[in-house]
């Protein structure tokens, strides 16, 4: 590379960094997934929602850092690798490659993919463990407990359901070994105070009540944080034979990914504390009890919010790698398209609740909303612009009373979507966008362009009608970029517009009058249920 090109690249990066620094930052994370088997639609669920939030925040002017990754250590992975006759590293490498490919197919715009086997992560976890030990918050003892191997969780007798693991219903075994413990109990009062002072830290509210009643009120027990019965983990530097037990290793990823305690901690300084940790409901307790206490002990600021979402379930039960009741998510992408899958996940289930996943529900959403409402509207509008005006969309400003309601709805959309997204009501924000699209279809039925087209004196009125539709579609599409990036790109191409920014939809009429639209392209074909 010539020095000129290098200098250009360097300046470009500096300029980008400078512009980002002027923006408000937003750091959000998904959990890091266990690469014990290839990922299913449940993992896609969290990651797609995180992606829509990340894209929306970027669109609305934030400097976003979106982190995802894999949680690769532990006994379960070690066992799986043994069964497969490969080393644990080789075992996880293959699944991680597959996961990265899946995220690419789903257009996940993560800024970093962290693996707990990354050298930087391992070194940082070792420093964190040592720091907590030196402080006296980690001590050596003996562990006796009921352990669920598949879930890598210890349980107390009272937490078991019918004597079995409350998460997966399988057998637990009594284990006893020398182990290090983390003094959770020491920080209990400070944690409760943090909950009180930061009422949104645990969201939604129902999850907070669960934490307080089930874990805090009975009193926190110290946590086992090292193991000696397997070696696929981060070694404890000062006590060979011990590996860091999974939650300290896993939770630390949110700061190790930013270079905490490393030579270059610029990302950490810029993005920490996290604005949002998105996690499934079964791991809320780790993120709202162990994680804040770890950070308090490290004297590091606490994240602003942990949002515990529900599960996608199949036939009333959890989608499970071990039950094998699911398809590779790429099968759905290949059959229905990436945005059909994204839309389903984002729209079908209110964020926070459980929701059923089925191919039938996916087809219904795709046909009902994407093909009938969005696809049809764009197709009809562009088709009419081509048919009646050779593609030229002109704002002739021949208005009628019924235009006002549509324009007002279009103008209110940005504020509505923004409020919903700030409250993480992702499904409702999409519903608001689709309400506008529905109103556009109604507007076509009411203005009857095909009747106007027969009357030469109504030509200018017809032109205004089509302009209003095009501008509404543009406004909706600016926002849709966060949810359905491919579809949005295709619509902008069909509309032949570069006015795609968040700041272009504060007023009505941004679409440049006199622009020639392109030929219509079918966005979503109706799916024949029987055939699929
Ligand atoms: N490795 C831990 C997380 C460590 S984070 C510091 C873990 N991994 S996991 O692979 O079992 O689950 C990761 C996430 O995927 C969890 O938030 C979990 O809720 C989510 N999901 C797994 N199956 C799911 C569904 N069927 N539906 C929605 N989310 C699901 O826990």
């Amino acid at each position: 590379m010539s020095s000129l090109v290098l200098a250009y690249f360097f300046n470009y990066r500096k300029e980008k960094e400078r512009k980002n620094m002027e923006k408000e930052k937003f750091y959000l994370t998904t959990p890091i997934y266990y690469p014990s088997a290839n990922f299913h639609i449940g993992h896609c669920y969290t990651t797609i929602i995180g992606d829509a939030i990340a894209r929306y925040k970027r669109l609305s002017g934030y400097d976003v850092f979106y982190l995802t990754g894999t949680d690769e250590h532990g006994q379960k992975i070690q066992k799986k690798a043994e069964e497969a006759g490969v080393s644990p590293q080789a075992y996880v490498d293959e699944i991680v490659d597959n996961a990265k490919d899946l995220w690419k197919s789903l257009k996940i715009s993560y800024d970093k993919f962290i693996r707990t086997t990354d050298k930087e992560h391992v070194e940082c976890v070792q420093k964190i463990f040592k720091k907590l030990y030196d402080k006296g918050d980690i001590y050596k003892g003996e562990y006796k407990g009921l352990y669920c191997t598949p879930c890598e969780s210890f349980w107390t007798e009272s937490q078991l359901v019918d004597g079995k693991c409350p998460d997966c219903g399988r057998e637990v075994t009594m284990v006893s070994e020398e182990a290090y413990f983390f003094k959770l109990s020491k920080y209990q009062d400070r944690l409760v105070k943090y909950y009180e002072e930061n009422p949104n830290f645990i969201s939604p509210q129902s999850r907070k009540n669960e934490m307080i009643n089930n874990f805090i009120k009975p009193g926190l027990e110290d946590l086992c944080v090292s193991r000696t019965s397997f070696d696929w983990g981060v070694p404890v530097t000062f006590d060979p034979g011990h590996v860091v037990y999974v939650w300290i290793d896993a939770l630390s990823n949110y700061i190790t990914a930013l270079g905490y305690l490393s030579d270059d901690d610029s990302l950490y300084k810029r993005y920490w504390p996290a604005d949002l940790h998105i996690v499934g409901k079964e791991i809320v307790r780790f993120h709202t009890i162990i994680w804040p206490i770890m950070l308090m002990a490290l004297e590091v600021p606490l994240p602003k919010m942990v949002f515990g979402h529900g599960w996608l379930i199949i036939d009333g039960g959890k989608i499970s790698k071990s039950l094998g009741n699911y398809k590779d998510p790429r099968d759905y992408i290949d059959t229905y398209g990436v945005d059909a899958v994204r839309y389903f996940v984002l729209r079908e289930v209110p964020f926070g609740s459980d929701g059923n996943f089925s191919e039938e529900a996916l087809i219904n959403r795709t046909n009902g909303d994407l093909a009938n409402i969005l696809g049809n509207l764009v197709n009809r509008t562009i088709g009419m612009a081509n048919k009646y005006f050779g593609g030229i969309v002109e704002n002739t400003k021949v208005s009628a009373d019924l235009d006002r309601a549509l324009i007002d709805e279009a103008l209110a959309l940005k504020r509505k979507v923004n409020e919903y997204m700030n409250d993480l009501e992702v499904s409702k924000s999409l519903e608001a966008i689709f309400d506008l699209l529905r109103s556009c279809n109604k507007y076509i039925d009411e203005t009857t362009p095909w009747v106007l087209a027969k009357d030469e004196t109504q030509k200018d009125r017809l032109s205004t009608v089509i302009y209003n539709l095009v501008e509404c579609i543009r406004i909706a599409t600016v926002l849709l970029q966060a949810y359905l990036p491919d579809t949005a790109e295709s619509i902008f191409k069909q509309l032949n517009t570069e006015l795609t920014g968040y700041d272009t939809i504060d007023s009505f009429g941004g679409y440049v009058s006199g622009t020639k639209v392109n030929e219509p392209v079918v966005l979503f074909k109706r799916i024949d249920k029987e055939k699929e």
Side-chain angles (χ1 to χ4, degrees):
M1 221 185 289
S2 77
S3 54
L4 205 69
V5 174
L6 268 176
Y8 176 79
F9 182 68
F10 185 72
N11 280 339
Y12 170 80
R13 251 189 57 191
K14 279 264 159 264
E15 181 60 14
K16 204 171 153 203
E17 266 167 28
R18 192 188 58 75
K19 279 201 180 131
N20 274 345
M21 291 302 278
E22 283 167 8
K23 295 178 184 172
E24 200 175 323
K25 68 92 188 171
F26 193 85
Y27 179 32
L28 83 156
T29 66
T30 70
I32 48 171
Y33 306 100
Y34 291 130
S36 49
N38 287 332
F39 293 179
H40 58 62
I41 193 80
H43 304 109
C44 300
Y45 177 77
T46 317
T47 317
I48 293 172
I49 291 180
D51 184 64
I53 298 170
R55 284 179 186 268
Y56 182 77
K57 286 285 173 187
R58 283 190 205 108
L59 180 72
S60 59
Y62 285 80
D63 166 21
V64 172
F65 196 91
Y66 179 33
L67 178 73
T68 190
T70 38
D71 183 2
E72 306 189 0
H73 294 125
Q75 195 169 12
K76 189 177 172 188
I77 303 252
Q78 187 165 352
K79 268 197 189 158
K80 286 259 180 186
E82 271 161 23
E83 280 160 25
V86 293
S87 70
Q89 190 65 57
Y91 184 83
V92 292
D93 282 352
E94 194 180 324
I95 293 172
V96 168
D97 282 349
N98 190 291
K100 284 187 176 168
D101 179 70
L102 177 61
W103 295 159
K104 201 166 158 206
S105 314
L106 282 170
K107 302 282 151 102
I108 304 299
S109 61
Y110 59 79
D111 294 284
K112 179 164 176 154
F113 188 109
I114 184 161
R115 302 181 57 177
T116 52
T117 49
D118 289 340
K119 184 170 159 277
E120 298 77 13
H121 173 82
V122 169
E123 283 170 7
C124 187
V125 167
Q126 289 176 326
K127 286 183 197 162
I128 288 173
F129 200 89
K130 180 81 169 49
K131 210 168 160 182
L132 297 175
Y133 178 73
D134 289 345
K135 216 179 151 197
D137 285 340
I138 280 180
Y139 62 91
K140 202 172 194 173
E142 195 190 351
Y143 190 83
K144 273 203 188 74
L146 298 157
Y147 186 66
C148 173
T149 310
C151 297
E152 305 201 42
S153 291
F154 282 103
W155 302 101
T156 59
E157 199 80 51
S158 62
Q159 286 170 325
L160 301 182
V161 176
D162 299 330
K164 306 228 164 88
C165 169
D167 268 0
C168 74
R170 278 175 279 213
E171 294 293 336
V172 291
T173 41
M174 177 62 85
V175 263
S176 158
E177 63 185 48
E178 182 190 85
Y180 285 92
F181 288 83
F182 179 40
K183 283 187 188 164
L184 290 186
S185 48
K186 174 175 156 191
Y187 292 91
Q188 171 154 341
D189 293 346
R190 271 179 66 188
L191 183 66
V192 172
K193 192 159 168 267
Y194 187 74
Y195 289 175
E196 279 162 6
E197 285 167 1
N198 299 274
N200 293 328
F201 172 63
I202 310 179
S203 293
Q205 201 61 28
S206 54
R207 308 252 181 250
K208 175 168 161 184
N209 302 337
E210 244 173 78
M211 290 306 115
I212 294 181
N213 294 330
N214 298 352
F215 301 105
I216 306 276
K217 279 192 184 152
L220 292 179
E221 285 174 25
D222 290 351
L223 178 78
C224 170
V225 289
S226 83
R227 301 294 305 273
T228 52
S229 52
F230 60 92
D231 57 11
W232 178 239
V234 176
V236 174
T237 45
F238 52 88
D239 196 344
H242 283 259
V243 292
V244 176
Y245 168 60
V246 69
W247 283 100
I248 289 227
D249 175 11
L251 290 162
S252 302
N253 91 87
Y254 302 127
I255 48 177
T256 65
L258 301 179
Y260 173 67
L261 295 183
S262 79
D263 294 341
D264 178 5
D265 64 354
S266 52
L267 287 177
Y268 172 75
K269 286 199 178 113
R270 169 77 181 137
Y271 293 106
W272 191 256
D275 296 273
L276 176 63
H277 290 310
I278 305 173
V279 302
K281 60 182 180 182
E282 84 286 16
I283 55 172
V284 168
R285 75 177 169 121
F286 303 107
H287 285 80
T288 57
I289 296 175
I290 303 174
W291 182 224
I293 290 184
M294 268 175 74
L295 294 168
M296 280 175 191
L298 293 168
E299 293 166 45
V300 157
L302 305 200
K304 294 183 193 153
M305 183 188 278
V306 174
F307 190 97
H309 65 71
W311 288 335
L312 275 190
I313 48 182
I314 290 185
D315 300 329
K318 203 179 171 196
I319 306 171
S320 142
K321 284 185 264 207
S322 17
L323 294 177
N325 60 353
Y326 62 90
K327 278 192 190 174
D328 186 313
R330 269 160 294 220
D331 289 353
Y332 307 122
I333 301 173
D334 293 344
T335 314
Y336 307 110
V338 54
D339 280 348
V341 175
R342 287 179 63 106
Y343 184 76
F344 177 86
V345 158
L346 296 166
R347 174 69 183 86
E348 184 77 5
V349 189
F351 196 38
S353 319
D354 287 350
N356 206 52
F357 175 82
S358 71
E359 225 156 320
E360 191 181 353
L362 174 63
I363 293 174
N364 286 342
R365 274 284 168 206
T366 309
N367 284 344
D369 294 3
L370 296 176
N372 284 359
I373 299 175
L374 172 64
N376 214 1
L377 171 67
V378 175
N379 206 272
R380 279 163 98 190
T381 304
I382 307 248
M384 288 192 292
N386 278 302
K387 183 168 170 199
Y388 301 135
F389 297 103
I392 305 291
V393 176
E394 203 172 339
N395 188 2
T396 41
K397 300 193 176 159
V398 181
S399 305
D401 283 350
L402 85 165
D403 297 359
R404 200 60 251 167
L406 183 74
I407 293 173
D408 285 347
E409 192 180 346
L411 280 173
L413 186 63
K414 180 174 171 177
R415 184 188 45 77
K416 262 194 219 162
V417 167
N418 196 43
E419 276 173 18
Y420 283 136
M421 285 306 269
N422 284 341
D423 293 342
L424 301 180
E425 301 253 35
V426 182
S427 175
K428 281 197 181 151
S429 66
L430 265 177
E431 197 178 346
I433 298 175
F434 275 72
D435 280 347
L436 175 65
L437 301 173
R438 233 184 243 109
S439 300
C440 288
N441 280 320
K442 191 164 146 248
Y443 180 76
I444 297 181
D445 295 341
E446 287 168 353
T447 52
T448 56
W450 52 93
V451 176
L452 297 176
K454 287 190 186 132
D455 182 349
E456 194 52 34
T457 65
Q458 294 290 328
K459 211 165 176 217
D460 283 349
R461 172 62 188 149
L462 177 60
S463 189
T464 299
V465 165
I466 291 175
Y467 180 88
N468 287 344
L469 288 167
V470 164
E471 176 64 345
C472 283
I473 294 172
R474 186 188 70 85
I475 288 173
T477 308
V478 165
L479 297 163
L480 271 182
Q481 290 176 100
Y483 313 83
L484 311 176
D486 280 4
T487 304
E489 198 185 319
S490 168
I491 298 174
F492 285 138
K493 246 190 223 146
Q494 294 183 55
L495 296 182
N496 189 19
T497 182
E498 279 167 17
L499 293 166
T500 62
Y502 197 65
D503 54 353
T504 68
I505 55 171
D506 290 328
S507 54
F508 194 89
Y511 187 76
V512 178
S513 177
T515 303
K516 187 171 187 300
V517 295
N518 289 313
E519 287 299 314
V521 175
V522 175
L523 290 170
F524 297 94
K525 284 203 195 85
R526 269 192 71 82
I527 304 159
D528 182 348
K529 251 192 233 176
E530 301 306 315
K531 245 170 74 187
E532 297 304 333

